[in-house]
Amino acid sequence: MKLDWCLFTGCMIIISDASPINSIDGVIVNATVQIVIADTTIPTTSVPPPCPRDFLGHSTSCYHAAHVMATWPEAAAYCESFGAELATIEDAQEQAYIEQMLNGLPHDKNQAAFWLGGHDILTEGEWQWVISMERMTYTNWSNGQPDNAHTSEHCLELSGQRAFKWNDGACEDHHYFICETGTSHTMPNKQTPFPPSTVQSLPNKETPFPPSTVQPLGVVTNSTDSPTTTSYKNVMFYDVPSLDVPPPCPKDFLGHSNSCYHAARVKATWPEAAAYCDSFDATLAVIEDIQEQLYLAHMLKNLPNNAGTNAFWLGGHDILVEGEWQWAITLEKVQYMNWDSGQPDNHDNNEHCMAMTGSRGYKWEDKKCEDHNYFICETE
């Protein structure tokens, strides 16, 4: 289960005329081709197949306007979790299509700002696309932009309040975002979307999230109760008893069946946790059956200092379509489920990421993706 978490994307849904009648989030769609974006339908004339599920197509690209808000680097990680990147706008036709797409959103969303994949993080005033690292040739700046207000605006946003023209924003601001991927479900090969000056190096990998964005737990003990900390650069891991570890697993991972797992002893948001796992050549854990659920519950129960009673991020989300839970690494619907009673409940209409919580008997719950929780990484 390997995924290179590069960067950023946006979301949409294609419904072909091969389908009879469908109901999606309360919207009834008949046999004509339509695009559904954030509970709104708009007609389209030429949707190029094939696009990934929940993406809309234009020319050779597919797009998704996310209904969650995130910082620019978090948005990049979200898009990558869908096999996409933050959108790149290369000409007036692409700009017009995205404007049409956003105009179909509910009013409170189409007036908002949406992150795109541009930045001038490397050199002030030299704007480039993060996925290609090429300078922008087409631009659509709003009047007086970019202005680098407060000398801290280095990420590109498309603003509904500015008639969908571009503005430079502070990368740490929370906005909606647009993801883009190719119709072949792949994007140009790239090792990391983050400029070198903005990342902290890890062995054989780079992660976009600096150590200040995570919250360490504290001193841990191993199964013999002698003090120990197992350090992997910034990220500290629990030492937990091994249960029939099938070799070989990476250092500090425990094995079950064909997978290896690690419970990280830092707290991070869901996209940050995904990026951390990827920096160890792993992904947020996917639970596919009761045997895997029982193994992970047993692993968490053996964590020191009752740490296993906390919430741990898994790789599931319903970011693309509310109530349609899927695994980030495979983009497949969640088949086996272990939700706690009353879950998922999408409390405050803002809970779109999956956690396994010890205090709930290791059952699952939906939580706000921006919450800081521990997490479980999985690799094969």
Side-chain angles (χ1 to χ4, degrees):
M1 293 184 178
K2 179 65 186 74
L3 175 65
D4 283 327
W5 291 73
C6 286
L7 291 155
F8 334 172
T9 97
C11 319
M12 350 201 144
I13 302 172
I14 301 175
I15 302 171
S16 72
D17 57 5
S19 302
I21 293 184
N22 301 281
S23 174
I24 298 181
D25 287 344
V27 178
I28 301 301
V29 189
N30 63 19
T32 59
V33 179
Q34 291 180 311
I35 295 176
V36 180
I37 308 176
D39 305 328
T40 301
T41 59
I42 58 176
T44 184
T45 55
S46 58
V47 179
C51 276
R53 179 174 170 268
D54 303 326
F55 278 67
L56 296 178
H58 167 72
S59 185
T60 60
S61 289
C62 304
Y63 305 88
H64 190 109
H67 66 95
V68 296
M69 303 180 79
T71 65
W72 190 82
E74 288 175 342
Y78 276 123
C79 289
E80 177 63 18
S81 73
F82 312 138
E85 292 90 16
L86 283 174
T88 296
I89 300 180
E90 298 179 304
D91 54 45
Q93 291 73 26
E94 191 171 13
Q95 170 74 28
Y97 175 80
I98 290 178
E99 288 182 19
Q100 179 193 23
M101 182 183 78
L102 297 183
N103 269 321
L105 297 175
H107 182 73
D108 63 331
K109 290 189 172 62
N110 67 22
Q111 293 299 301
F114 290 79
W115 287 127
L116 299 174
H119 68 88
D120 70 342
I121 294 172
L122 293 182
T123 303
E124 169 56 34
E126 295 187 7
W127 286 84
Q128 62 180 240
W129 298 111
V130 68
I131 185 61
S132 64
M133 302 195 75
E134 296 178 353
R135 289 194 182 185
M136 296 176 182
T137 53
Y138 169 80
T139 60
N140 191 41
W141 294 108
S142 181
N143 185 40
Q145 300 301 318
D147 61 357
N148 193 25
H150 309 294
T151 66
S152 62
E153 295 186 334
H154 302 293
C155 291
L156 177 62
E157 62 183 45
L158 185 153
S159 175
Q161 291 186 339
R162 295 174 181 265
F164 302 112
K165 292 189 177 293
W166 301 0
N167 177 53
D168 56 341
C171 302
E172 63 271 21
D173 288 348
H174 284 75
H175 295 312
Y176 300 110
F177 51 95
I178 302 171
C179 299
E180 176 183 359
T181 188
T183 54
S184 62
H185 301 204
T186 60
M187 292 295 284
N189 184 29
K190 194 165 184 356
Q191 292 301 313
T192 175
F194 293 92
S197 62
T198 67
V199 302
Q200 174 151 356
S201 295
L202 286 172
N204 304 318
K205 198 78 176 171
E206 290 182 303
T207 177
F209 300 100
S212 60
T213 64
V214 297
Q215 305 168 7
L217 178 64
V219 177
V220 300
T221 60
N222 61 15
S223 56
T224 59
D225 292 328
S226 58
T228 180
T229 56
T230 303
S231 178
Y232 195 90
K233 285 290 184 180
N234 308 311
V235 182
M236 312 280 291
F237 294 106
Y238 286 114
D239 294 322
V240 297
S242 175
L243 303 176
D244 300 324
V245 180
C249 273
K251 183 178 180 291
D252 303 322
F253 278 68
L254 298 177
H256 167 72
S257 186
N258 295 320
S259 291
C260 303
Y261 306 88
H262 205 114
R265 60 173 291 268
V266 295
K267 286 186 174 182
T269 66
W270 189 84
E272 290 171 347
Y276 270 113
C277 289
D278 185 62
S279 72
F280 312 130
D281 293 320
T283 66
L284 284 173
V286 172
I287 301 180
E288 297 179 304
D289 53 45
I290 185 62
Q291 289 77 19
E292 193 169 14
Q293 168 72 28
L294 291 173
Y295 176 81
L296 291 179
H298 186 91
M299 186 180 78
L300 297 184
K301 287 177 184 177
N302 282 279
L303 294 178
N305 304 324
N306 294 318
T309 61
N310 291 282
F312 287 77
W313 288 128
L314 300 174
H317 68 85
D318 71 340
I319 294 170
L320 296 182
V321 179
E322 168 58 33
E324 295 189 11
W325 288 85
Q326 62 180 234
W327 297 112
I329 183 62
T330 63
L331 298 180
E332 295 178 354
K333 284 189 177 182
V334 175
Q335 300 296 328
Y336 167 78
M337 299 180 184
N338 193 41
W339 296 108
D340 195 13
S341 177
Q343 297 294 315
D345 61 357
N346 192 24
H347 183 66
D348 291 334
N349 294 315
N350 194 27
E351 294 187 332
H352 303 292
C353 290
M354 181 191 295
M356 178 180 181
T357 304
S359 61
R360 291 178 175 268
Y362 304 99
K363 292 185 178 295
W364 306 353
E365 62 175 319
D366 56 341
K367 297 180 76 68
K368 294 180 180 178
C369 302
E370 63 268 26
D371 287 351
H372 285 75
N373 294 308
Y374 302 117
F375 52 94
I376 303 171
C377 299
E378 177 181 359
T379 188
E380 293 183 343

